[in-house]
Amino acid sequence: MNRSTTSVPAQAPKTVRAPEEETIAVIGLGYVGLPVAVGMARHFDSVIGFDIDKEKVATLQKGRDPSGEVDGGVLEDVDLPFTSAVDDLADATFFIVTVPTPIDENNVPDLSSLRAASRSVGRVLQPGSVVVYESTVYPGVTEEVCGPILEEESGLDQGTDFAVGYSPERINPGDEEHTLERIVKVVSSEDEATLDRVAAVYDTVVDAGIHRAPSIRVAEAAKVIENAQRDLNIALMNELALIFDRLNLRTKEVLDAANTKWNFLPFHPGLVGGHCIGVDPYYLTTKAEETGYHPQVILAGRRINDNMGRFVAQKTVKLLIQNSVTINEARVGVLGLTFKEDVDDVRNSRVPEVVEELQEHAITPLVHDPMAAPESVERELGLEVNDLAEFKELDALIYAVPHEAYRHDDVDLPSRVREGGVFIDVKSACDPDALRDDLAYWSL
């Protein structure tokens, strides 16, 4: 049986510490970091949250979460100070790094935030400390990239003076069921004693239990394939949607029939965005290519999913032409700009690609999102949000993200489309039989 060459060694760093003795610092207070910091603060007496964004820290200090993941009342109930000053972390013994790991415009992993966070931690790192990374990375990053930075900044030796670990984040933004406490936590470290220490900290917080991975690289790989698997399953559904569209079949009706079989997997087509599913597979494929292997299945799935936004826009244009609408005069509305329903995060959303494709056909669509802050939409996407009241007498309405706010009866989406207009229901959120007969309905 083959064994990993990076399995946990028998030797251990010198420091052994009980969980209640830890002083915990959480680095990065976004959609993942803040819930982690709050979860830790519920169980530990000494926890501090750090972020380089001074404006975010100031907002958190006032008891408000800019991301909307944590309720203000929860922040008031825990003893959790926030800071943007690295020196305030000098007493920490257990660091948890939860900064973003995006990709660049060429789909290459961008580790700049991870490197910067490691430099910050290294400046205050004391002997006997543990640094656990939660950010999604490819196998090898924690030990080969982060560890040397910590050593350089601190002047300490990894494995002797301090230790590193990896515990992949699994928080799902906007999901009140799959929270930190309710998801099994994978933990790993470079030695057995530190693994015990890391497991003890997380086990104090996570009710669902702990899974000890045999090495850091195994844990890194496990995280990156979780989202690659989901990405590929959705890519299959999207490819089926492309095929069924040519066959004049509604994909949802086909899937409803297929789902009656006990082992058919319940995935659905859609726009795959966000900072996980649409990003993580590229971390694995980049590392694979470094070894001389060119991934085929994973990248094929990525190509399909990356092109679905443009396909939705092109289908809208075709339906408008079939309805004898002059394209450059068409009034088209796009509802929803975030990467999924009921969150305010527009990063890596694929809806802007729908807008871009419409613009390339000389259509200037109206756009609206009840969750995303207009300033975020303008800053991140370069788009101006329209008032929902402007959505009337539309030639086509693209219902891209089915936020709860759109599902209220008083919103009445069909009434915003003119007689004989086009209704694009990207995620099959509507019952077409409940819509007006004069509307040309289409869904993925």
Side-chain angles (χ1 to χ4, degrees):
M1 182 176 72
N2 293 330
R3 292 187 178 273
S4 169
T5 58
T6 57
S7 59
V8 178
Q11 71 273 17
K14 308 299 184 289
T15 301
V16 177
R17 191 185 300 268
E20 62 272 14
E21 297 175 346
E22 302 283 9
T23 297
I24 299 172
V26 179
I27 315 301
L29 300 173
Y31 289 87
V32 172
L34 185 59
V36 168
V38 169
M40 292 292 169
R42 286 190 176 118
H43 297 273
F44 293 92
D45 292 332
S46 184
V47 180
I48 186 170
F50 172 87
D51 200 288
I52 61 172
D53 187 336
K54 294 182 180 180
E55 184 177 341
K56 178 190 291 184
V57 168
T59 302
L60 289 169
Q61 288 172 340
K62 295 175 183 176
R64 299 196 307 272
D65 173 16
S67 70
E69 280 297 298
V70 178
D71 184 80
V74 173
L75 291 177
E76 294 177 0
D77 290 340
V78 294
D79 181 12
L80 177 58
F82 301 104
T83 184
S84 58
V86 175
D87 289 345
D88 290 342
L89 309 179
D91 293 331
T93 61
F94 195 99
F95 296 85
I96 301 175
V97 180
T98 64
V99 297
T101 45
I103 52 176
D104 65 17
E105 62 277 6
N106 297 314
N107 296 327
V108 175
D110 177 1
L111 299 177
S112 57
S113 293
L114 198 65
R115 289 189 171 97
S118 297
R119 286 192 290 270
S120 294
V121 171
R123 294 187 191 113
V124 294
L125 192 62
Q126 299 298 319
S129 297
V130 172
V131 185
V132 179
Y133 291 86
E134 291 206 4
S135 307
T136 300
V137 293
Y138 53 78
V141 167
T142 300
E143 293 162 292
E144 298 167 12
V145 176
C146 300
I149 293 175
L150 294 171
E151 287 187 321
E152 180 181 0
E153 293 291 335
S154 67
L156 303 175
D157 292 329
Q158 179 186 327
T160 302
D161 301 319
F162 71 92
V164 296
Y166 184 75
S167 181
E169 59 88 3
R170 284 175 164 174
I171 291 174
N172 186 23
D175 187 340
E176 296 182 1
E177 179 181 354
H178 299 98
T179 60
L180 171 67
E181 294 82 2
R182 298 174 182 172
I183 308 171
V184 173
K185 201 76 169 78
V186 174
V187 295
S188 65
S189 188
E190 58 187 301
D191 60 78
E192 291 286 359
T194 306
L195 182 57
D196 288 341
R197 186 171 164 186
V198 172
V201 168
Y202 282 107
D203 195 40
T204 303
V205 177
V206 179
D207 298 329
I210 301 298
H211 175 86
R212 297 178 180 229
S215 72
I216 290 175
R217 288 168 61 88
V218 165
E220 291 169 327
K223 168 57 182 174
V224 81
I225 71 165
E226 289 174 10
N227 285 328
Q229 181 190 65
R230 184 167 178 79
D231 189 45
L232 282 170
N233 277 301
I234 298 173
L236 173 59
M237 297 300 106
N238 278 333
E239 185 163 53
L240 292 176
L242 298 176
I243 295 170
F244 294 148
D245 181 66
R246 290 172 175 262
L247 298 177
N248 198 29
L249 292 170
R250 187 175 177 225
T251 306
K252 185 179 186 304
E253 294 176 344
V254 177
L255 294 180
D256 285 346
N259 273 322
T260 60
K261 189 181 180 187
W262 72 92
N263 61 351
F264 189 84
L265 300 179
F267 286 90
H268 305 278
L271 303 179
V272 182
H275 40 78
C276 291
I277 298 178
V279 173
D280 295 357
Y282 287 120
Y283 273 73
L284 183 57
T285 58
T286 296
K287 189 63 176 178
E289 288 171 342
E290 288 180 3
T291 70
Y293 179 78
H294 182 70
Q296 299 181 56
V297 175
I298 297 173
L299 289 176
R302 280 280 76 234
R303 284 192 295 271
I304 291 172
N305 287 342
D306 280 347
N307 287 320
M308 292 307 292
R310 298 196 176 277
F311 171 72
V312 168
Q314 291 163 6
K315 185 66 180 183
T316 303
V317 171
K318 290 178 182 178
L319 290 171
L320 287 169
I321 293 172
Q322 290 176 13
N323 279 15
S324 302
V325 175
T326 302
I327 295 302
N328 60 2
E329 297 176 0
R331 282 179 51 79
V332 177
V334 178
L335 292 180
L337 292 167
T338 60
F339 79 89
K340 70 173 184 176
E341 57 268 30
D342 301 324
V343 300
D344 65 357
D345 193 354
V346 297
R347 293 175 301 167
N348 296 323
S349 170
R350 313 312 290 195
V351 180
E353 293 169 7
V354 177
V355 176
E356 290 172 9
E357 185 71 15
L358 292 173
Q359 291 171 335
E360 290 180 11
H361 285 82
I363 297 173
T364 303
L366 303 170
V367 297
H368 179 269
D369 193 294
M371 299 294 297
E375 57 271 20
S376 296
V377 173
E378 185 173 358
R379 181 180 65 252
E380 298 285 342
L381 308 180
L383 296 174
E384 181 178 347
V385 176
N386 299 96
D387 192 283
L388 193 58
E390 299 178 56
F391 284 62
K392 55 187 178 182
E393 288 298 309
L394 299 173
D395 294 297
L397 177 63
I398 301 177
Y399 189 21
V401 186
H403 292 301
E404 174 65 29
Y406 290 142
R407 299 196 287 271
H408 296 165
D409 291 339
D410 59 347
V411 177
D412 194 6
L413 299 182
S415 70
R416 300 174 186 276
V417 185
R418 66 166 178 80
E419 184 176 352
V422 175
F423 192 99
I424 304 294
D425 183 12
V426 174
K427 297 190 73 173
S428 294
C430 298
D431 178 3
D433 293 333
L435 300 178
R436 301 195 321 259
D437 292 338
D438 63 277
L439 294 179
Y441 175 88
W442 181 87
S443 65
L444 268 181

